[in-house]
Amino acid sequence: MEDTTPLQAFRRVCNLRMLAGVYYFCLLYAISRALSWYGEGDGGLADALFDLIRFSRQCLLTGLSLLVMVALAEALLAGRRWKLPAALTVQALAVGLGAALGTLLRYVVASLDDPSNKLMPGWVISTIALWALLGGMAYALLLVSRAQREGRDELARLFREREALKTQQTEAQLSALNAQIEPHFLFNTLANVKRLYETQPERGRDMLVALIAYLRAALPGMRRHESTLADELDLVRHYLAILQMRMGERLSFGIAVPPELLGARLPTLVLPTLVENAIKHGLSPLPGGGRIEIRAGHGADGSLTVEVSDNGQGFGTASGGAGVGLANTRARLAARFGDTAALELEAVQPHGVVARVRLPAEALA
């Protein structure tokens, strides 16, 4: 529960909305009493309406007295760590004093209309008891509704904090994954560049140019959490070009993406993770290598579908779709798009795997 100042606590109880509630309650109470009186006296409709107005005024005096005393009690309790018995005592005294003050005001105002009106002990006791009961019930309902509202607010705050922590954890896992993959890839590539420069200088130069192009595409996105499909494809194209130089005829690839989909938004490194997974678990173990196809298109409901397929060894070994990279990809898609995005793995006949990312239509906005 957040701390409030005494003035804020007073205004939280004594405000226009609460005043309107007290007024309508007193009016309904007066109407119910007037209906029970109607027909018992000798007066007509005009007298009944006059009695209704007068009793409404009397009830309103007591209701407003209770409201002000409760507001003062809340102001007194605000910002102080009162023990429960002491707080309940203050609240009970506020209700009792409000009922007593309202009863006194009712007698004073009634005496202005009829100076001969006498203060009857029985009326005083019954009126104070009735309005203390009504005020206590209203005060209890106010405290219960406030506790429920604060509970909902606290649950919402905890949910937001949990989602933020999950997002941070996912990003930390992705950073750790990149820290493991990138140096391994770079060191292998640099070793190949060195070897090629010693044996085939032209191929070594081509691989170095491809590595520079890859780094230019990769470095700007390392600190971003979101990218475009065009940026992802650019990074993947350079990545595959380097691997193609290393693997030779064992690797071929194709990219088929309509130009109108290049601006689609998706978390960074989703596509490179799928391609790297296909190379590592699908093509590299095979002596003859294989081919990777990257496609994108519209779904039937206007969604976006991005596929990375290979004709490698399929689900026979490796993670079977449960690796760290794929788990991180699923988590990041869920953090960005919720249940409207998904990563699916499907076996391809006669062999191979297709990794399919489904994104909602909002990714194209």
Side-chain angles (χ1 to χ4, degrees), residues 167-344:
T167 302
Q168 292 175 5
Q169 181 184 18
T170 302
E171 297 300 337
Q173 291 173 345
L174 179 67
S175 298
L177 182 66
N178 290 339
Q180 295 172 359
I181 295 175
E182 294 299 334
H184 177 74
F185 169 73
L186 291 176
F187 291 152
N188 283 346
T189 303
L190 289 174
N192 276 273
V193 169
K194 180 177 180 296
R195 179 178 58 81
L196 288 175
Y197 260 109
E198 293 174 350
T199 58
Q200 304 179 52
E202 291 186 2
R203 289 192 62 194
R205 183 174 62 252
D206 293 339
M207 181 173 284
L208 182 60
V209 170
L211 177 61
I212 293 173
Y214 170 81
L215 292 175
R216 283 177 176 171
L219 291 177
M222 286 186 174
R223 292 182 175 86
R224 295 199 305 260
H225 299 320
E226 192 173 74
S227 181
T228 65
L229 183 56
D231 292 335
E232 294 281 284
L233 289 173
D234 192 33
L235 184 61
V236 164
R237 190 177 288 107
H238 293 306
Y239 174 77
L240 289 173
I242 294 174
L243 290 180
Q244 199 173 42
M245 293 179 187
R246 287 166 49 182
M247 296 175 64
E249 296 181 354
R250 295 179 60 235
L251 173 63
S252 62
F253 67 92
I255 298 176
V257 177
E260 63 271 15
L261 300 182
L262 294 177
R265 310 292 299 182
L266 68 165
T268 56
L269 297 182
V270 165
L271 198 56
T273 300
L274 299 183
V275 171
E276 190 272 341
N277 191 72
I279 295 289
K280 181 178 179 181
H281 301 301
L283 303 186
S284 292
L286 300 180
R291 181 173 177 82
I292 287 180
E293 294 284 349
I294 302 173
R295 297 178 295 271
H298 285 290
D301 56 352
S303 60
L304 171 65
T305 301
V306 181
E307 294 181 349
V308 177
S309 62
D310 66 80
N311 58 354
Q313 64 179 0
F315 290 126
T317 60
S319 63
V324 176
L326 296 181
N328 275 331
T329 299
R330 288 191 174 96
R332 299 179 72 231
L333 288 172
R336 174 61 179 85
F337 299 106
D339 296 335
T340 59
L343 169 60
E344 306 165 352

Side-chain angles (χ1 to χ4, degrees), residues 2 21 33 56 64 70 79 95 101 138 162 171 199 268 325 343 364:
E2 62 181 10
R33 292 292 298 270
S56 299
L64 291 178
V70 168
V95 172
L101 177 61
R162 188 188 70 172
E171 297 300 337
T199 58
T268 56
L343 169 60
L364 297 170

Side-chain angles (χ1 to χ4, degrees), residues 83-95:
K83 294 183 178 180
L84 183 60
L88 289 176
T89 301
V90 171
Q91 293 165 346
L93 286 175
V95 172

